[in-house]
Structure formats: structure tokens, C-alpha cells
Amino acid sequence: METTDDIAGEIGLIWDQVKAPVIVPLLRVAAFLCLVMSVMLFAEKVYMAAVVVVVKFFGRRPYKRYKWESLRDDIELGNSAFPMVLVQIPMFNEKEVYKLSIGAACGLSWPSDRIIIQVLDDSTDPVIKDLVELECQRWASKGINVRYEIRDNRNGYKAGALREGMKHGYVKNCEYVAIFDADFQPEPDFLSRTVPFLVHNPDLGLVQTRWKFVNSNECLMTRMQEMSLDYHFTIEQEVGSSLYAFFGFNGTAGVWRISALNEAGGWKDRTTVEDMDLAVRASLKGWKFVYLSDVKVKNELPSTFKAYRYQQHRWSCGPANLFRKMLMEIVRNKKVSPLKKVHVIYNFFFVRKIVAHIVTFVFYCVVIPATVLVPEIEIPKWGSVYIPSIITLLNAVGTPRSLHLLVFWILFENVMSLHRTKATFVGLLETSRVNEWIVTEKLGDALKTKAVTKAARKPRIRIGDRVHVLELGVGAFLFFCGCYDLAFGRNSYFIYLFLQAFAFFVVGFGYIGMVVPHT
């Protein structure tokens, strides 16, 4: 007992000696920087909300800003009145969803002699490769122009596959290319609603459509993802399209003018966000983009936490790394206006891709909890309560059906900000994991099938897949701060701290998302 008291006394003595000269100044600087970043993020959110309101009520819809006329058969020209369209479907071991995507692409209502379906299969599993090739042959036997393409390596991952796909001779006859990831299922009228924008507006290089999530009700984690992505599509993409004719290409469910793609330099694999890289380069060449919120393409959200975590690493690391690589190129560019440069550098990259991730984790999961232990630092109410509340409510606009889940969304986003912040610094500093690419696992109907076939057996769960040390460590820190605040604090932060600690523990022990039984 005396030994324990001695250790506690020594720790207390060291804390008292370090606190005033080191901890307090550092925490004060961190709090100030976080408040500045919070104001930046708040201003960005309010600004975008105001733009969307103006767009909605004053009718600045794409069909009014750009010329659009449906394409019809010409008596003299016949089907040649329709431009040649290439549809690319990049795949990698997509056993669960390959039939859905190929079937949806082959079902597009476009003259059969004016469309080429190109399946780019990078699969390493020979069984899956055979299945995909067989599916392509099945559709080809029905008169669909399907090309099954493989390569002997996976260099460049998705970007490499798309780049190789553009090198085939038959592509030279195509004017436009539509891209769909393996879990995306476009409606039959997709091309007839998107391609006319490119046909009638020669300055447009890209038409991007909205994602519609087929499994958003699968679990609480997919509901949280839906809220975040709906905000992205409802607000961020709409603002970029309406004001600047620029936004980040989402990598799928979009149609490119091939000449714009080529002028921008084609696909590059220097970052894990090859889609955003291409969009920025095309924009710097003067091409405009349009976003169609009323054209929706069905797709699947990651159902397992492991898949979602890998996806978020790629989506957070890639933009930060691209910002590092392209900052000076954007600054020196002569073809775009200064206003558009400011938008791309400050709004698009700095605030949304860097500040948003860092402030969420550092402020709400480190600085505010630490002020409980260091009462000399006081966070003003507008920074700790009012600004976060308004930002949260503005985010909920995208998914009104999930308003009752706001608290869960806040807690989950704060947990995920740990990984996003880590990935952001990996991208900015270009460390070893900067080009890590792990394909997001899609389940299709596999989860339902496995649930039925294995009902009699208990699924074997690998401990390594369920326990996440980082989350447990942060959860322990928040729980300790909550206990300290409950005993000695004066700001009642303990309510938030206990809830947030619980969220980190839930994720840390793997009780989030779907659990897929191992065979």
C-alpha cells in the first residue's frame, strides 16, 4: 500500500512540475488553434448551406444553367445520332457483386452499336476470374458488346486498370466514358439523362451523379455513413457544381468527355484518390463539371468496420497527399480565375480535407477532455457547445430521416476522426502507408446467405479483427477525464466524456458494423 502511495505521490509531483511550464502553454496554444479551425469549419458549413438554399429557391438547377435536349434517332443518320460511349467497370475479386454491376451496365438503354461495356478484371482469384469472364460471355451471346480485359499485374490499382483500358484500339471511336465501380448499378436511363449535357455543352468535361445506398438500413454503422455521404452529395457537390463548376469526381457513377480526360493527362496512380487527382487536373485545364442530384445510382456501403476503416484511410490520406503534390501547381496555373484557385486550395482541400478531420479529433477528443485536468485553460461556450451544435444540425439536413440518430452520429464521427486525422498526417508527411490501397469489401447478398447456411454453427470470430487498441486507449483517456471531471470539475463535461468513451470502447471491442462469419 505504501509503495502505491509513493508511486502516486511521485506522479503527482512530476505533474505539478511539468504542468505550469509545459502543459499549460501547449494546451493553451492547441485550444486557440482548435478554436480558429472550428470557426473556419463553421463559416464553411454556413456558407455552403446558404448557397444550397439560394440554388433551391432561385432555380439555379443544371437544366437551366446548361443546354439539355434528349437524343433521338435521326431518320437519315439512324443510330449514329448517338455518340459512342465506353462503359468501364473496374473489378478486383468481386465475387458477391460482379453479376449485379455487369447486368446493370448491359441493361443501359442505348443503341447497342453505340456502346461498349468494358470489364476491367484485376482479380487474383482464378475461380472469380472465370466466373466474371463467363458472365461477360453470357451477355455477349445476347448481342451486347462486352469486352473482358485483364492484365498481368495490378500496377496502379484502379487507376492503372482504367489507364490500360483506355489504350485498347476500339476506345478511339468513343467520345465519352462512363465509370461504375463493381457494386454500382445504374438505371437503364442513366446515359440518356447524362450524356446530352456533354453533347450540347462543349465546355463540360464531367457529369457526376448521386449515389443511392441499397444497404443503408443494414446496421447502425451504415446509417451513420449514409448521413455523412448524403451531406457530401446534398451540400458539398451541389455548391461546387453551382458556383465553380468544379468538385471532386467521386470515382464512379460519372461520365467523362474522353478528350477532357486525355487533355488532363489521363489516369495517374501517384495518390490513392486517382479520381480527385484527375478532377483537379481537368479543372486546371479549364474544363467545367456538372453535378446531377436527381440522377441516382444504387451502390453498397461498407458493412464491416474493417472495410470502412480501410476506406476512410484511403479517402483521408489521398486528398491530403494530393494537396501536398498539387498546391504550387494550382497556385501557378494561368487558366483558372483567382476565385476558383482560392476555392480549390482553401475550401475544397484545406478546410474540408484537412482542417475538418484534425479539429474533430484533436479538439473534441484531446483538447476539451484535457482541460478537465488543466482547469487553467477554459474553452468558451461558443467553441465547445454552440458551434459544434450548429455544424451538427447543418449536417443533418442531408438525411432528415435520421435526425433522431444525431447523437450516435456525433459520437461515431468523433471515433472515426481518430483514423481520419492519422491518415491526413500520413498523406501530408508522405509516410510509409501513403499509397496503401486495400479494396473495400462488398458483401452483396453474401451476408444473408452466410447467416442462413451457418445458422446452426456459432461464427468463429478472430480476436485480432475485433479488438482495436487505439480506440481502447483513447476511450480509457476519455473515461479517466470523465471520472476526474465528475469528482473535481465545474463544466459538467463528464456527460459528454462518458458517452464518447463508451463509443470508443464499443468500436474498440469490435461491436460495430456487421460481423461476417469466417469459413
Side-chain angles (χ1 to χ4, degrees), residues 189-204:
D189 64 352
F190 178 87
L191 293 178
S192 61
R193 297 178 70 183
T194 56
V195 172
F197 277 100
L198 296 166
V199 170
H200 298 303
N201 301 277
D203 58 341
L204 279 180

Side-chain angles (χ1 to χ4, degrees), residues 55-66:
V55 168
K56 185 173 183 179
F57 287 100
F58 290 90
R60 279 183 55 81
R61 309 301 295 174
Y63 301 93
K64 290 189 176 183
R65 288 185 288 119
Y66 297 98

Side-chain angles (χ1 to χ4, degrees), residues 388-403:
S389 299
I390 295 172
I391 289 175
T392 302
L393 290 172
L394 289 174
N395 189 90
V397 171
T399 317
R401 80 183 186 102
S402 297
L403 274 171

